[in-house]
Amino acid sequence: MSSVRSGNQGKRRLVVESVTLGLGYSAVLVWIGSAFVGSFGDFNDAYPYWPAIPHLRTDTAGFFAFAIAAVCLVVSRYLQLGRRNGAPAEPAAGPRPARVLAVQAVADVAVLLGTGLVIYLSVNGAMHPWTLPVQLTHLLPWPSEGTVRVIALAICLVAVATRRYLRATATRPARPAPVPEKAGVAA
């Protein structure tokens, strides 16, 4: 009975993992589209992202999409790491604690989104250098685009280092024992 429950729970967790990955990926695409409008548009982000929702500005849609992407991708990555954590491990160590998986999930997503932010703000700085000292979004009075670019660089530094360390210290799934070849067998 417990194997049926754990099997159903595993399938539900996989569905949540998959849906949050899909939602996070789509949110990244919304953010990228909004970033392109901000970098290459006519400097009027007040246009609606989608005419069916006329009051949702393109820059506002990008802001919310980035936040949604961060949450969904961390949840999806955490569930993926947890699922992989149950694989048979080499005898050196057992499964990793949930907090370590959470840190790795955050680091994995921070690398992706931090890199995207640096690229976007760098392109935006090349296209509209006068906007670097301006606040990043109309939703918040601080920080400026230039400050966020430096913060994103620092996040990438810490996240890449954390990722490398955690991946290097992770247990590896056990390898199957090699099958010995039979010597002296004639065909």
Side-chain angles (χ1 to χ4, degrees):
M1 186 69 127
S2 66
S3 65
V4 171
R5 242 183 266 145
S6 64
N8 287 338
Q9 182 182 13
K11 287 180 183 178
R12 276 183 267 161
R13 288 176 64 97
L14 184 58
V15 167
V16 171
E17 174 190 330
S18 301
V19 169
T20 55
L21 177 62
L23 183 58
Y25 184 86
S26 298
V28 167
L29 293 177
V30 170
W31 177 74
I32 289 171
S34 299
F36 277 136
V37 169
S39 292
F40 301 111
D42 65 1
F43 201 63
N44 188 358
D45 295 337
Y47 290 125
Y49 181 81
W50 184 32
I53 307 173
H55 299 294
L56 179 62
R57 294 169 40 149
T58 298
D59 57 342
T60 306
F63 180 87
F64 288 130
F66 190 87
I68 290 167
V71 170
C72 288
L73 293 175
V74 166
V75 168
S76 179
R77 183 67 174 145
Y78 175 78
L79 292 172
Q80 179 190 36
L81 290 168
R83 182 170 43 83
R84 289 183 178 174
N85 199 36
E90 292 178 356
R96 299 190 102 166
R99 68 182 181 282
V100 173
L101 298 178
V103 169
Q104 186 174 349
V106 169
D108 289 348
V109 173
V111 168
L112 172 75
L113 296 180
T115 301
L117 265 175
V118 170
I119 291 170
Y120 160 61
L121 292 170
S122 296
V123 169
N124 202 39
M127 300 300 293
H128 315 112
W130 60 88
T131 64
L132 287 174
V134 176
Q135 70 193 54
L136 180 67
T137 175
H138 69 282
L139 298 173
L140 301 170
W142 183 87
S144 69
E145 290 183 5
T147 301
V148 171
R149 183 166 59 170
V150 171
I151 291 170
L153 281 168
I155 288 171
C156 284
L157 184 152
V158 171
V160 167
T162 301
R163 246 182 124 239
R164 171 57 59 97
Y165 178 82
L166 290 175
R167 290 176 61 99
T169 60
T171 57
R172 301 286 178 239
R175 292 185 188 111
V179 177
E181 293 184 31
K182 294 183 180 180
V185 176

